[in-house]
Amino acid sequence: MRLPAPISLASSFGFGDRLGLATPGHIAAVKGTGLTPIFAQQSVRENARTGRTPQQVMDDAKRAVEAAKWDEPWGADADHLKTVDNLPAFVEAGYTFFTVDPGAYVDNAADTDPLSVLQEKVASPESPYGKGRDWNELSAVYLKQNSDKAFGAFDSVTLHRAAVKYGRAIQHVAGMYHRLSQLKETFDFEISVDETDTPTTPLEHYFISNELTRSGVRFTSLAPRFIGRFEKGVDYIGDLAALDAEMARHAAVTAHFGTYKLSLHSGSDKFSVYPLMVKHWGGRLHIKTAGTSYLEALRTLAATEPALFERIWALGLERYPTDRATYHVSAEVGKVPSGLALPALLDDFYAREILHVTFGSALMQFGTEIKSALVKHMDDYNANLQKHFRKHLDLLK
Ligand code: ZN
């Protein structure tokens, strides 16, 4: 059987699968597209909510790879790792792609702090640039640059802001990288700051990449937080023309380094964004999806086991106000149009977000029933997945 391996800069697509039953449909969708798939992809948060271990996620993917006789490269992504303690279980299970999320160390207030506050923060003992010598060195690196770069140039304010906003996060990523390097020889390494409250400017993206490179971190992808809203399971919300220009600037930063690709998280259903990614990021991109495969499972149940689906929907409405807390979603229960027939409900913006973020509650309560119903209707589930993902992948040709 073909084992997962690092895929480096080849264009790739992440198929998160919270139920352990979606890989056959993912294989059918990705076959012949030229994209390298990530079949096992689960974050620590998702594993906590689905009650699965990194090993189980890997075993489910491997079983499907073997059954389908998939013989092309594929990867396995240990997603949104937050601490070094998260690493060993994924290393032992054979993951090949490690995504580190230093979001807890990003100082979002830096975006609005006045210069005097930024200067205090830079000089504080927690700052990696706290010693005057370090700051002088940083200024020498970044302030001497000329301004002909497509993504702009630093002045004293923007350099202070970048250093405060991302300094400790960069330090944390470097620590995670060095620990991982002791555990594993070769791997794909991604930095994700996509779940922070404030967007990553192209200049800050440059700062992150340059500081990581200077500290010896070799990474293969980076997921900035882009402008606008990338909510779960629905299309982009925001100004597409502004995003178009911003993506061009981020592409200029990656072109400057040439050592990694850009990564888009919450990539499910971002149909209006994919053409922009192709335009600016060309043959070097990574996209992650996860919950949309769960929504296709629910679409399958809505058609084949409507009584079970109705119970999942009722629970979702009840749990949404609580379960939404750790996600970027804006749906409100009161806004779901009343009287939507079953398959149409799965296409409604509000219903999709509600169902999307309440998966943990649904699996806790109905997990066994959901899985056995899907096994029974596997052909329908595969067909729904294939159709839904083809809509995504066709845009990346
Ligand atoms: Zn993410």
Side-chain angles (χ1 to χ4, degrees):
M1 186 195 47
R2 184 95 180 203
L3 291 171
I7 51 189
S8 192
L9 300 186
S11 275
S12 43
F13 196 93
F15 296 94
D17 172 16
R18 292 166 178 169
L19 298 168
L21 296 168
T23 306
H26 295 156
I27 289 175
V30 79
K31 198 174 275 176
T33 61
L35 292 159
T36 302
I38 303 274
F39 290 135
Q41 172 206 291
Q42 214 89 132
S43 65
V44 176
R45 175 177 68 190
E46 283 173 309
N47 279 331
R49 293 199 176 176
T50 55
R52 294 163 84 210
T53 63
Q55 186 68 56
Q56 283 171 314
V57 172
M58 177 65 96
D59 290 345
D60 289 331
K62 277 184 177 171
R63 200 175 310 116
V65 163
E66 187 162 34
K69 300 190 170 52
W70 174 265
D71 196 32
E72 289 168 59
W74 65 287
D77 181 0
D79 201 10
H80 280 278
L81 303 168
K82 308 227 167 170
T83 68
V84 286
D85 300 340
N86 294 151
L87 293 170
F90 288 96
V91 170
E92 280 153 29
Y95 283 71
T96 60
F97 186 122
F98 293 79
T99 301
V100 170
D101 174 357
Y105 297 90
V106 173
D107 184 345
N108 288 296
D111 264 24
T112 48
D113 284 339
L115 180 60
S116 59
V117 173
L118 294 172
Q119 283 167 330
E120 267 169 47
K121 285 183 173 178
V122 159
S124 77
E126 302 90 71
S127 164
Y129 312 108
K131 297 170 229 104
R133 188 174 49 85
D134 296 341
W135 182 256
N136 289 341
E137 196 252 351
L138 206 68
S139 309
V141 170
Y142 290 96
L143 293 181
K144 68 169 171 38
Q145 291 172 342
N146 51 31
S147 55
D148 61 359
K149 292 207 171 67
F151 45 89
F154 283 103
D155 57 29
S156 178
V157 177
T158 50
L159 181 59
H160 274 87
R161 182 160 290 140
V164 169
K165 190 170 170 187
Y166 293 109
R168 292 185 63 218
I170 289 163
Q171 204 174 33
H172 180 68
V173 168
M176 294 276 284
Y177 176 81
H178 294 306
R179 180 74 190 113
L180 184 58
S181 302
Q182 293 167 342
L183 299 172
K184 221 173 147 55
E185 214 160 293
T186 55
F187 49 84
D188 292 314
F189 192 72
E190 173 164 313
I191 298 97
S192 70
V193 285
D194 65 295
E195 294 195 2
T196 57
D197 295 340
T198 52
T200 315
T201 67
L203 205 51
E204 288 166 350
H205 166 186
Y206 171 78
F207 181 79
I208 295 169
S209 296
N210 204 49
E211 285 302 285
L212 287 172
T213 304
R214 273 161 29 96
S215 34
V217 176
R218 290 168 58 198
F219 56 102
T220 39
S221 50
L222 183 128
R225 159 81 154 81
F226 296 104
I227 54 170
R229 302 214 310 270
F230 289 79
E231 300 192 358
K232 301 287 181 183
V234 296
D235 206 342
Y236 179 67
I237 303 167
D239 180 345
L240 268 181
L243 182 67
D244 188 17
E246 193 78 344
M247 283 187 151
R249 288 189 282 268
H250 282 290
V253 180
T254 48
H256 172 87
F257 292 95
T259 49
Y260 64 95
K261 55 194 174 186
L262 278 164
S263 172
L264 180 79
H265 291 208
S266 301
S268 303
D269 307 275
K270 301 301 178 294
F271 300 116
S272 60
V273 174
Y274 281 23
L276 304 182
M277 295 171 68
V278 172
K279 177 169 139 196
H280 298 299
W281 306 352
R284 271 190 189 178
L285 52 83
H286 182 56
I287 296 175
K288 298 196 192 195
T289 67
T292 208
S293 293
Y294 171 72
L295 289 180
E296 288 310 304
L298 297 188
R299 186 189 301 282
T300 308
L301 297 182
T304 57
E305 306 278 348
L308 174 57
F309 177 82
E310 289 294 356
R311 284 190 287 150
I312 296 165
W313 175 232
L315 181 72
L317 290 172
E318 188 192 312
R319 292 293 313 168
Y320 179 71
T322 311
D323 291 357
R324 67 179 294 182
T326 54
Y327 288 97
H328 289 287
V329 285
S330 60
E332 284 162 43
V333 167
K335 288 194 178 164
V336 181
S338 54
L340 275 184
L342 255 194
L345 187 66
L346 266 304
D347 298 317
D348 176 68
F349 174 91
Y350 302 100
R352 287 181 72 79
E353 289 201 337
I354 290 165
L355 289 166
H356 194 292
V357 303
T358 55
F359 73 92
S361 298
L363 291 181
M364 193 108 67
Q365 198 145 339
F366 308 118
T368 314
E369 280 172 88
I370 291 173
K371 285 181 195 175
S372 53
L374 285 172
V375 169
K376 198 165 121 198
H377 303 289
M378 206 58 196
D379 291 346
D380 298 285
Y381 186 31
N382 286 345
N384 282 335
L385 283 169
Q386 188 176 355
K387 185 172 163 216
H388 188 61
F389 277 104
R390 281 287 170 167
K391 253 166 62 188
H392 290 74
L393 304 176
D394 284 350
L395 292 168
L396 298 173
K397 276 180 185 157

